[in-house]
């Protein structure tokens, strides 16, 4: 029973290889800036948010930034 609970509480992992990650980062950087919008990306089983949107959601909803994950190298995003 504990294994099932642990599996349900596990954070989803965005599984992209380096090329896919770089492609998404390039695409994301082309999106127009809009301070009124929060963008979510449908990954079939879960949703992701990126950049300032991810930080905003983490701080206002989760009240922590420990749930944030890095995509690409530090200079990419």
């Amino acid at each position: 029973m504990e294994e099932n609970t642990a599996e349900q509480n596990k954070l989803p992992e965005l599984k992209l290889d380096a090329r896919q990650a770089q492609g998404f980062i390039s695409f994301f950087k082309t999106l127009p800036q809009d301070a009124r919008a929060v963008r979510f990306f449908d990954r079939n089983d879960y949703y992701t948010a990126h950049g300032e949107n991810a930080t905003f959601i983490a701080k206002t909803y989760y009240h922590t930034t420990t749930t944030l994950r890095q995509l690409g190298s530090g200079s990419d995003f």
Side-chain angles (χ1 to χ4, degrees):
M1 188 77 157
E2 285 183 28
E3 287 181 27
N4 192 20
T5 303
E7 186 67 27
Q8 290 173 343
N9 292 331
K10 186 178 174 183
L11 291 173
E13 238 182 272
L14 183 59
K15 295 180 182 173
L16 301 176
D17 63 31
R19 186 174 179 209
Q20 291 170 322
Q22 188 58 47
F24 178 78
I25 292 167
S26 296
F27 160 74
F28 186 80
K29 286 181 176 182
T30 66
L31 295 173
Q33 294 287 332
D34 187 348
R36 299 168 297 160
V38 176
R39 290 189 174 97
F40 290 90
F41 296 86
D42 185 354
R43 304 291 183 175
N44 293 328
D45 294 336
Y46 56 93
Y47 293 89
T48 61
H50 300 270
E52 291 179 12
N53 289 169
T55 304
F56 172 77
I57 293 165
K59 287 180 177 180
T60 58
Y61 182 76
Y62 294 107
H63 304 288
T64 182
T65 57
T66 60
T67 58
L68 296 176
R69 301 292 177 259
Q70 181 76 26
L71 179 62
S73 69
S75 62
D76 291 336
F77 239 175

